[in-house]
Amino acid sequence: AYDGHNYRQNSNSERQLADIQNMNRIMVVDDEEFCLESVRVVLKKADVDMSRVDFCITGEEALTTVK
């Protein structure tokens, strides 16, 4: 990738982020509110479109959201 000054190889994390940003939707499921909030912070910092992210605190909520 060209960073404005030099060409460099994309790291695995950059490729993973690009893959995430190209997905239609992201669902995060965890029964700990702290974990959900931690993931929310990381995704926001990574400039992920948060309108495409669902956060669920139970498996039942996740299944309902998928349907």
Side-chain angles (χ1 to χ4, degrees), residues 44-62:
K44 281 183 178 180
K45 285 185 178 182
D47 260 351
V48 172
D49 179 1
M50 298 305 288
S51 69
R52 298 184 327 181
V53 182
D54 296 302
F55 292 88
C56 302
I57 197 135
T58 66
E60 184 177 335
E61 182 182 1

Side-chain angles (χ1 to χ4, degrees), residues 27-37 40 54-67:
M27 179 178 284
V28 182
V29 183
D30 199 294
D31 63 350
E32 297 288 336
E33 186 67 34
F34 175 79
C35 292
L36 292 175
E37 285 305 313
R40 186 185 317 269
D54 296 302
F55 292 88
C56 302
I57 197 135
T58 66
E60 184 177 335
E61 182 182 1
L63 289 173
T64 301
T65 302
V66 169
K67 294 177 183 178

Side-chain angles (χ1 to χ4, degrees), residues 6 21 24 29 55:
N6 300 302
Q21 290 175 329
N24 290 327
V29 183
F55 292 88

Side-chain angles (χ1 to χ4, degrees), residues 7-23:
Y7 283 95
R8 60 183 172 73
Q9 285 188 310
N10 288 337
S11 69
N12 282 338
S13 60
E14 288 173 325
R15 281 193 296 271
Q16 289 170 343
L17 176 59
D19 289 343
I20 288 172
Q21 290 175 329
N22 290 326
M23 290 179 169

